[in-house]
């Protein structure tokens, strides 16, 4: 018969090992910001797919390039996010959504995290270089804006930090497109503009929800510096700027245009409703959720309406 103490010790060790494994996995996911990577890979894929569509290229002729593009983009974004965490280690303990990162809990050394961020970034650049140098250049541009111009320069100084960061978040569709068609086309620039404009109302809605935390951390987000009324006006202006863009993608067909305008007009109507709602935090939550659905549906529709053509 097994010794009860031995069995108990073994069970405790197994539970502890599972907990440690889970903690390590949670730390890595926190460092690389999985949600950000996933959303950006959706737009990277859309850029890649539409480049195939507009150039008349078959997907199965480019499947290796596709894998390299997605992996390279994921690595570049992950590397930038890791370095963002490393740099923000002094303010992350103040905010509830960031206070469980390993840079705060100390489960990983700061020197290791910095080295990891640089290494993963370089791996991403090299991987993208295996597609086209233009795709790698767009990746480097996005990384530089996010890590240097946003994280290290504008985030703690100016309310336009959201706009600065938007240049970085708008790059993934260009990476995907440039991997297939380095010269780009007007449609690629429209994808960039959609992403660039979309990000400001998306992140300003989040900033309203987290106003007190940003204020405590000393981050000059627009709601912190100029209040909710100014922020709501800015959000509505940016959402309105999205309205003309789908027409430049009219070649994708009527179904796409109807979907795009239903989303855009719906988001604008919800934005205007914010001037009449008493609960600003509730409105900001609705706007934030709608923005996520807007992005997901819009880019998935770009792929769905072109499904028959690349095959």
């Amino acid at each position: 018969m097994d010794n009860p103490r031995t069995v108990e010790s073994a069970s405790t060790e197994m539970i502890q090992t599972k907990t440690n494994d889970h903690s390590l996995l949670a730390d890595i996911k926190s460092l690389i910001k999985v949600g950000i990577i996933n959303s950006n890979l959706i737009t990277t894929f859309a850029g890649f797919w539409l480049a195939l569509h507009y150039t008349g290229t078959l997907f199965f002729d480019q499947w290796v390039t596709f894998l390299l593009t997605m992996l390279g983009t994921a690595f570049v974004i992950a590397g930038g996010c890791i370095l963002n965490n490393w740099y923000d280690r002094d303010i992350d303990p103040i905010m509830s959504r960031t206070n469980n990162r390993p840079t705060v809990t100390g489960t990983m050394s700061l020197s290791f995290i910095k080295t990891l961020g640089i290494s993963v970034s370089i791996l991403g650049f090299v991987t993208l270089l295996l597609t086209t140098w233009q795709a790698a250049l767009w990746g480097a541009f996005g990384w530089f804006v996010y890590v240097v111009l946003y994280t290290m320069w504008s985030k703690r100084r100016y309310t336009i930090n959201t706009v600065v960061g938007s240049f970085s978040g708008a790059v993934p569709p260009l990476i995907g497109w440039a991997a297939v068609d380095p010269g780009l086309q007007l449609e690629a620039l429209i994808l960039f503009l959609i992403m660039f404009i979309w990000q400001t109302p998306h992140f300003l809605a989040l900033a309203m929800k987290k106003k007190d935390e940003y204020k405590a951390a000393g981050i000059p987000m627009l709601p912190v510096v100029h209040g909710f009324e100014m922020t709501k006006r800015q959000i509505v202006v940016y959402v309105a700027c999205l309205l003309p863009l789908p027409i430049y993608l009219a070649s994708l067909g009527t179904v796409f245009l109807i979907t795009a305008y239903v989303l855009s007009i719906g988001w604008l109507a919800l934005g205007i409703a914010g001037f009449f709602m008493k609960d600003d935090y509730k409105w900001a939550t609705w706007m934030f959720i709608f923005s996520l659905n807007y992005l997901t549906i819009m880019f998935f529709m770009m792929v769905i309406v072109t499904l028959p053509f690349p095959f």
Side-chain angles (χ1 to χ4, degrees):
M1 182 178 292
D2 293 330
N3 187 320
R5 290 186 178 274
T6 303
V7 174
E8 181 180 356
S9 298
S11 300
T12 302
E13 185 177 350
M14 288 177 64
I15 293 173
Q16 186 175 6
T17 299
K18 289 181 179 180
T19 301
N20 290 339
D21 289 343
H22 172 74
S23 298
L24 177 61
L25 179 61
D27 282 346
I28 292 174
K29 291 172 66 176
S30 176
L31 275 178
I32 66 175
K33 302 182 182 179
V34 174
I36 291 179
I37 292 176
N38 289 340
S39 61
N40 278 282
L41 287 183
I42 290 174
T43 62
T44 304
F45 174 71
F48 187 94
W49 184 268
L50 289 185
L52 295 176
H53 170 68
Y54 282 106
T55 60
T57 306
L58 296 176
F59 176 81
F60 290 111
D61 292 339
Q62 295 288 334
W63 69 270
V64 174
T65 301
F66 169 72
L67 293 178
L68 292 172
T69 302
M70 300 299 281
L71 283 174
T73 304
F75 286 140
V76 169
I77 296 171
C81 288
I82 292 170
L83 292 173
N84 170 271
N85 288 343
W86 170 79
Y87 190 83
D88 282 348
R89 61 191 180 277
D90 59 327
I91 60 174
D92 280 349
I94 302 171
M95 305 184 69
S96 60
R97 68 189 184 91
T98 59
N99 61 16
N100 63 342
R101 291 174 177 171
T103 47
V104 177
T105 61
T107 53
M108 294 181 180
S109 71
L110 292 176
S111 59
F112 171 77
I113 291 173
K114 180 172 71 172
T115 302
L116 180 65
I118 294 172
S119 301
V120 172
S121 299
I122 293 173
L123 178 60
F125 300 144
V126 172
T127 304
L128 287 178
L129 272 174
L130 297 176
T131 62
T132 65
W133 67 264
Q134 290 90 343
L137 185 62
W138 282 118
F141 170 75
W143 181 95
F144 177 79
V145 171
Y146 183 68
V147 174
V148 179
L149 298 186
Y150 171 70
T151 301
M152 298 181 178
W153 174 60
S154 66
K155 182 176 181 178
R156 307 187 189 206
R157 292 178 174 86
Y158 310 109
T159 57
I160 62 166
N161 56 27
T162 304
V163 178
V164 173
S166 295
F167 281 97
S168 176
V171 161
L174 297 185
I175 297 175
W177 193 296
V180 176
D181 176 20
L184 302 180
Q185 294 184 25
L186 174 62
E187 289 80 5
L189 300 180
I190 296 303
L191 296 184
F192 174 87
L193 286 175
I194 290 174
M195 285 302 302
F196 176 76
I197 296 172
W198 170 86
Q199 285 175 94
T200 294
H202 170 75
F203 285 110
L204 285 182
L206 177 62
M208 288 179 65
K209 288 162 49 68
K210 301 294 183 180
K211 175 189 173 183
D212 293 337
E213 293 187 16
Y214 279 117
K215 184 177 182 179
I219 305 300
M221 300 299 290
L222 191 64
V224 174
V225 178
H226 295 293
F228 282 176
E229 288 304 309
M230 170 66 81
T231 303
K232 287 192 284 188
R233 288 198 294 271
Q234 289 291 309
I235 287 175
V236 169
V237 168
Y238 274 94
V239 172
C241 288
L242 287 169
L243 287 175
L245 296 181
I247 198 67
Y248 292 98
L249 299 174
S251 60
L252 295 181
T254 304
V255 173
F256 170 77
L257 281 179
I258 292 174
T259 304
Y261 276 108
V262 167
L263 288 170
S264 298
I265 294 171
W267 197 9
L268 181 60
L270 181 59
I272 294 173
F275 296 114
F276 305 97
M277 286 183 62
K278 295 181 179 179
D279 191 337
D280 290 329
Y281 289 98
K282 185 176 183 179
W283 175 80
T285 299
W286 287 357
M287 288 294 285
F288 182 76
I289 293 172
F290 195 102
S291 69
L292 293 174
N293 285 290
Y294 177 96
L295 178 72
T296 304
I297 296 172
M298 178 77 80
F299 278 83
F300 268 119
M301 280 303 297
M302 293 177 187
V303 175
I304 290 172
V305 298
T306 55
L307 273 175
F309 300 103
F311 293 98

